[in-house]
Amino acid sequence: MNTTDPISDYLTRIRNSIRAHHKRVDIPASYLKREITKLLVEQKFIAGFTEINDMKQGIIRINLRYNDGISAITGITRVSKPGRRAYKTVNDIPRVLNGLGIAIISTSKGIMTDKDAKQQNVGGEILCNVW
């Protein structure tokens, strides 16, 4: 399937799986999706992930995290879109829900959270917000 915005597709698959109370979701793999998934595991928004080799581009199988039937991810939104990119300097990086959520940022030093970007004093493209 050809998509014009693979990151929006990634976020929508996670959002739809959470709303349907699925335990896991399969997503076509890419480097950027893999790095975002690693950040979500580090921040404890998802339980874990495995990579499946299907002799094509691969699949990322994400295990969703639930506590008493409530998902750890209550909201996930795309900020920067193909038609309107959102680049911010280190001083303009927004806080998500007053620090309760995270913004995932693509910087010159790699994919990182808003807190890590401020610590390393780098700005970049704000990919999405998770809370």
Side-chain angles (χ1 to χ4, degrees):
M1 184 169 103
N2 189 9
T3 61
T4 57
D5 188 7
I7 301 304
S8 288
D9 179 60
Y10 170 86
L11 299 175
T12 300
R13 286 179 190 232
I14 291 175
R15 189 180 314 113
N16 289 344
S17 296
I18 288 170
R19 287 186 180 163
H21 298 287
H22 290 258
K23 294 183 180 179
R24 66 175 192 245
V25 58
D26 290 344
I27 297 171
S30 74
Y31 174 78
L32 185 59
K33 293 175 192 176
R34 195 174 299 114
E35 292 299 312
I36 293 172
T37 305
K38 287 178 186 175
L39 277 179
L40 292 175
V41 171
E42 287 174 11
Q43 298 295 319
K44 297 186 173 38
F45 282 108
I46 59 176
F49 73 100
T50 56
E51 294 184 43
I52 301 169
N53 186 3
D54 65 349
M55 299 301 184
K56 295 177 187 171
Q57 74 182 61
I59 295 173
I60 300 173
R61 178 166 285 165
I62 297 175
N63 299 317
L64 301 172
R65 169 177 251 127
Y66 293 96
N67 293 326
D68 297 327
I70 299 171
S71 173
I73 298 174
T74 55
I76 187 166
T77 59
R78 178 85 156 115
V79 176
S80 183
K81 299 175 182 173
R84 183 175 181 197
R85 300 289 184 187
Y87 296 100
K88 301 289 181 182
T89 62
V90 67
N91 297 327
D92 295 331
I93 294 174
R95 291 178 56 172
V96 179
L97 285 182
N98 205 16
L100 294 176
I102 62 168
I104 297 177
I105 303 173
S106 175
T107 69
S108 58
K109 296 183 179 179
I111 308 295
M112 58 183 71
T113 64
D114 53 345
K115 294 170 189 156
D116 293 337
K118 287 181 182 179
Q119 285 177 351
Q120 295 187 21
N121 199 26
V122 291
E125 180 183 0
I126 306 201
L127 298 175
C128 62
N129 293 331
V130 183
W131 66 92

